Amino acid sequence: MKCPCSSIIPFVFVLLLSCDYRVTFADLRATSSVSDDHHDVNIFLDCLSLHSDKSSSISKVIYTKNNSSYSTVLNFTIQNFRFATANTPKPQVIIIPLHVSHIQATIKCSQKHGWQIRVRSGGHDFEGLSYVSDHVPFVIIDLIKLSEINVDAEEKSAWVQAGATLGQLYYRIADRSKNLGFPAGVCPTVGVGGHFSGGGYGFMMRKFGLAADHVVDAHLIDAEGRLLDRKSMGEDLFWAIRGGGGASFGVVVAWKVRLVTVPSTVTLFTVIRTMKQNATKIVHEWQYIANKLHEGLFIDVVLIRANSTMVAAFTSLFLGGIDRLLLLMQESFPELGLKKEDCTEMSWIESAHTLAGFQKEEPLYLLLDRNSSSSKGFFKAKSDYVKQPIPESAFEGIYDRFAEEEGQSAFIALIPYGGKMNEISESEIPFSHRAGNIYKILYAVAWGEDGASQRYINWIRKLYGYMTPYVSKNPREAYLNYRDLDIGRNNQGYTGYKKASIWGKKYFKNNFDRLVHVKTTVDPHNFFRNEQSIPPLSSRVPKKIGD
């Protein structure tokens, strides 16, 4: 599906890191506050100086609150303006590492002084968890400069640093081979760090599975500051970071991925149907075939209000040519009424370019640009999984809610499962939403000013409540990369297993227990934590592993 950042919620990036900000620790100390409630920035900076490799010049990559570039650096990749207000907690220090030693020094000093760490690769976290921490001093490690990509076309693999974006990865792959691709998301400015570690998906999911299904190695810095690869970290930890939310276990700085073979020609279409064109009946029928279609055919649906009526937009990627697609559609989904003129053949990299929102005449190299996406704004999103088709009558209740003022700037996306997703065990990686799901739902609503936030959040919560009878149960499942703090949060990182499992099992189902075990082994003191991090079974947790 087209993610909100590329199609619904407008935003503009400001390029800023082209300049080389050269300062010394003395300069940083001079511009830092002597103290700030619960911490002392200067002592933290002294610690960084003590623990950093002298040849790595860590002072060049540090931004404190009184630094003139601090706000620009902080806001550069923030997508959701709900977490860029004057009242949003701000980091005491931002580190933009150029070398792993900068991260290692930050980990050591954060542990020593009781600061929390937030790791940001693209800044698209729906709840701002990669750059916000409530009520505790924290530092952001922004991986934007660790964005190197090395593609080995003969081996059909690539090493990708965690600060690279999906658009950069796609472009570099296509630059080396016209018949290799990678099954990840459509939004080109999403950072691979969060996307891979949270179970990211895209339009080739039904053919190849998730991005995390294709991770074959990784480099991670753990709570002790050690740089580990797959062999040295062990299979349990390697399992956990592929879909379990990597920031709960350390700082992943690079991923090795297995590339996939794509045909020389793929086909895209977007077909819009209105209520007068029987959109509801077509969507209802789509539910019965969406997860049973040919695995090379992906068709998602976006429901949105336009010109005082509801419309359904069907967008598809088919890994093949038009003629074969038309035959498959006639056999499986004739209700849509697809015509040849609705379809466009192109290469895989051109499809990535088109799905990202670019026009045909725009150059492919725009995929490299972190400024290339077109949406930033205030928004709230939620998710669901559907295992039985929703009754046709239930859609009328959805439409009623979209007729309200808040619904004018909302959408619902229906993302099909089946194919390869049915073949992979739910315990293969922490991402457990596999066989049995017809489709996933993304609900999203956007607005223009901070003062309206609660009204729109209340609206989407009511819509979510209305959908309760029609979606998964016990637990009502949710998708990790569509973060939703409504379903639960940790209490400043110290929530026990019993309470955390309420939200944890929505994201991970039975895999949550194994994730807790891994967390206990690799980070027993719960150093890597946020409002929805995996808690360890440690001495910090009350007796009887409860709350």
Side-chain angles (χ1 to χ4, degrees):
M1 62 154 287
K2 296 179 288 298
C3 71
C5 67
S6 65
S7 61
I8 302 295
I9 304 164
F11 69 84
V12 177
F13 279 112
V14 179
L15 186 62
L16 63 99
L17 293 176
S18 57
C19 59
D20 186 9
Y21 188 76
R22 298 184 181 278
V23 294
T24 65
F25 273 97
D27 296 327
L28 290 167
R29 286 180 60 87
T31 59
S32 297
S33 302
V34 174
S35 63
D36 187 2
D37 295 336
H38 305 298
H39 65 283
D40 187 332
V41 173
N42 288 337
I43 293 177
F44 187 80
L45 296 177
D46 288 341
C47 180
L48 289 176
S49 178
L50 178 65
H51 289 284
S52 63
D53 183 346
K54 301 305 178 185
S55 64
S56 67
S57 303
I58 194 171
S59 63
K60 299 177 183 177
V61 301
I62 297 174
Y63 299 81
T64 60
K65 286 185 176 181
N66 291 330
N67 182 288
S68 61
S69 299
Y70 172 90
S71 294
T72 311
V73 170
L74 175 63
N75 293 327
F76 176 52
T77 58
I78 291 179
Q79 310 301 316
N80 195 341
F81 288 169
R82 287 171 55 209
F83 309 107
T85 68
N87 295 326
T88 302
K90 304 296 191 295
Q92 279 63 48
V93 175
I94 303 170
I95 308 291
I96 302 183
L98 300 175
H99 189 270
V100 295
S101 65
H102 298 155
I103 301 173
Q104 291 167 320
T106 304
I107 289 174
K108 290 177 182 177
C109 294
S110 296
Q111 286 182 322
K112 181 175 181 180
H113 295 287
W115 288 19
Q116 289 191 8
I117 286 178
R118 293 293 178 267
V119 183
R120 183 167 75 176
S121 60
H124 288 259
D125 188 293
F126 280 10
E127 298 281 12
L129 298 188
S130 63
Y131 51 87
V132 174
S133 180
D134 290 335
H135 312 302
V136 290
F138 69 105
V139 56
I140 290 177
I141 298 177
D142 191 328
L143 300 174
I144 191 170
K145 289 287 190 177
L146 294 180
S147 57
E148 185 176 344
I149 300 169
N150 291 304
V151 176
D152 187 330
E154 291 186 5
E155 190 187 62
K156 297 183 179 180
S157 68
W159 271 105
V160 190
Q161 287 190 313
T165 65
L166 297 181
Q168 291 167 350
L169 174 59
Y170 297 158
Y171 187 89
R172 297 303 178 201
I173 292 171
D175 190 47
R176 297 298 304 275
S177 171
K178 304 307 179 187
N179 291 107
L180 290 177
F182 191 72
V186 302
C187 197
T189 57
V190 165
V192 303
H195 190 73
F196 291 2
S197 66
Y201 72 96
F203 269 58
M204 296 197 293
M205 172 178 70
R206 301 189 66 254
K207 175 66 174 180
F208 298 112
L210 308 173
D213 293 325
H214 295 265
V215 172
V216 296
D217 203 346
H219 291 161
L220 173 142
I221 302 174
D222 69 1
E224 297 180 30
R226 299 175 299 180
L227 179 62
L228 308 173
D229 61 9
R230 177 175 182 172
K231 182 177 180 180
S232 55
M233 77 174 73
E235 288 302 304
D236 281 348
L237 180 51
F238 182 64
W239 172 86
I241 62 176
R242 293 175 294 154
S248 283
F249 307 98
V251 180
V252 180
V253 293
W255 307 83
K256 184 178 182 181
V257 296
R258 179 178 62 249
L259 306 181
V260 301
T261 301
V262 294
S264 56
T265 299
V266 304
T267 304
L268 287 183
F269 72 75
T270 295
V271 173
I272 296 175
R273 295 290 182 256
T274 66
M275 294 297 101
K276 290 182 179 180
Q277 296 170 315
N278 295 318
T280 302
K281 290 185 179 296
I282 298 171
V283 172
H284 185 253
E285 183 61 29
W286 172 90
Q287 294 182 101
Y288 288 89
I289 55 90
N291 66 329
K292 300 182 178 70
L293 293 170
H294 184 281
E295 64 179 10
L297 176 56
F298 180 102
I299 307 174
D300 78 358
V301 184
V302 174
L303 300 175
I304 193 166
R305 193 163 185 85
N307 298 323
S308 300
T309 186
M310 292 296 296
V311 301
F314 297 81
T315 300
S316 174
L317 170 67
F318 174 60
L319 300 176
I322 289 177
D323 291 341
R324 175 63 172 151
L325 170 60
L326 291 173
L327 286 174
L328 289 172
M329 290 295 289
Q330 185 57 40
E331 293 171 0
S332 303
F333 195 21
E335 293 82 1
L336 186 60
L338 185 70
K339 299 176 182 178
K340 189 169 186 176
E341 52 266 34
D342 297 323
C343 307
T344 306
E345 291 184 341
M346 60 189 72
S347 66
W348 172 77
I349 189 61
E350 288 171 335
S351 76
H353 178 265
T354 301
L355 290 169
F358 297 115
Q359 300 301 310
K360 183 178 180 180
E361 62 272 14
E362 294 183 285
L364 291 174
Y365 64 70
L366 289 179
L367 289 168
L368 298 171
D369 190 356
R370 288 181 181 269
N371 301 299
S372 63
S373 291
S374 59
S375 60
K376 255 189 186 182
F378 296 92
F379 67 91
K380 172 66 179 177
K382 302 176 81 67
S383 63
D384 264 319
Y385 283 87
V386 177
K387 301 178 185 296
Q388 298 293 331
I390 295 173
E392 190 172 336
S393 60
F395 286 95
E396 297 302 326
I398 294 174
Y399 301 160
D400 288 344
R401 283 153 180 80
F402 271 75
E404 298 172 10
E405 180 184 351
E406 295 82 3
Q408 307 298 313
S409 58
F411 74 93
I412 292 179
L414 315 179
I415 301 103
Y417 270 52
K420 188 68 173 180
M421 294 297 288
N422 284 352
E423 300 171 13
I424 301 174
S425 166
E426 68 174 30
S427 61
E428 181 71 20
I429 63 173
F431 185 94
S432 57
H433 314 291
R434 303 286 187 171
N437 292 296
I438 302 175
Y439 58 95
K440 172 170 59 186
I441 302 178
L442 165 63
Y443 315 90
V445 63
W447 58 96
E449 55 181 324
D450 186 36
S453 293
Q454 196 57 53
R455 182 160 57 90
Y456 284 87
I457 291 172
N458 289 342
W459 180 88
I460 198 171
R461 286 172 177 167
K462 287 191 294 183
L463 174 63
Y464 183 76
Y466 169 78
M467 294 297 294
T468 302
Y470 310 115
V471 297
S472 60
K473 299 172 179 63
N474 302 318
R476 183 175 183 175
E477 299 171 32
Y479 172 47
L480 178 63
N481 267 359
Y482 293 160
R483 289 281 196 179
D484 181 7
L485 291 181
D486 287 351
I487 68 175
R489 64 174 72 198
N490 293 343
N491 179 19
Q492 296 188 37
Y494 297 104
T495 294
Y497 172 87
K498 183 177 179 181
K499 186 173 182 180
S501 66
I502 294 172
W503 60 260
K505 291 185 177 180
K506 293 177 185 290
Y507 287 140
F508 307 112
K509 295 171 65 177
N510 296 332
N511 288 331
F512 184 69
D513 293 329
R514 184 177 176 188
L515 286 167
V516 171
H517 172 74
V518 175
K519 174 72 169 181
T520 302
T521 302
V522 302
D523 185 23
H525 300 295
N526 205 20
F527 176 61
F528 292 109
R529 64 183 185 268
N530 60 44
E531 280 73 15
Q532 279 190 341
S533 61
I534 305 298
L537 301 178
S538 71
S539 59
R540 292 182 181 269
V541 181
K543 293 181 179 180
K544 297 184 180 180
I545 316 174
D547 295 87

